[in-house]
Amino acid sequence: MILVAQFATLIAAGVHLLAFVWESFLFRKPSVHEGIFRIPGSDVHAAHLWAFNVGFYNLFLASGVIAGVILWWAGQDTPGRTLVVYTCLFMFLAGIALAASDRMALSRQRGDGVVGALSQSGPPLVALIALAIG
């Protein structure tokens, strides 16, 4: 189960690194702001600062789980696992918040936030369950 937890943790890191790139560097591209985040071109200027900042949150979350796994692999089990558990729990709860906010949004019939929430919270949840079991 340890390998499952570590693998799911690294997938979670990959998801958050991808979100970092989209939000912080590629947000102004229509294929990103309209295609992924469903933000019309007229709102990009207002949303760009928010997206840039959230992108860095995602970078820091990815860095946390990567550092935890590296510590774990280096034989520092307690600090590595602690960092992985804390960061995965943060990622999972942020995904729940995203799903809840999508339900409250005017575009809730689209369900875009729910898809994002599943991709954001699914891998860390798998890691947390695998750690709890094994």
Side-chain angles (χ1 to χ4, degrees):
M1 282 311 212
I2 299 288
L3 289 176
V4 170
Q6 291 174 346
F7 183 70
T9 298
L10 293 175
I11 289 174
V15 168
H16 284 77
L17 287 172
L18 181 60
F20 162 67
V21 171
W22 283 339
E23 293 164 342
S24 296
F25 297 110
L26 302 177
F27 187 75
R28 292 184 187 266
K29 291 183 176 247
S31 61
V32 175
H33 68 78
E34 289 176 357
I36 296 169
F37 296 108
R38 306 288 188 228
I39 296 174
S42 60
D43 293 339
V44 168
H45 181 71
H48 184 257
L49 181 60
W50 157 83
F52 186 79
N53 189 43
V54 172
F56 275 88
Y57 275 86
N58 284 310
L59 173 65
F60 302 145
L61 287 169
S63 299
V65 292
I66 291 169
V69 170
I70 289 171
L71 284 170
W72 203 348
W73 288 346
Q76 300 292 319
D77 289 354
T78 301
R81 286 174 73 118
T82 301
L83 192 51
V84 165
V85 167
Y86 172 77
T87 311
C88 280
L89 187 58
F90 190 114
M91 290 173 168
F92 172 69
L93 293 174
I96 297 300
L98 179 60
S101 67
D102 182 62
R103 301 286 298 156
M104 295 182 284
L106 294 175
S107 64
R108 68 177 177 226
Q109 69 273 9
R110 292 182 61 124
D112 295 331
V114 174
V115 172
L118 288 174
S119 62
Q120 179 178 344
S121 62
L125 179 61
V126 170
L128 291 168
I129 291 170
L131 285 171
I133 293 172

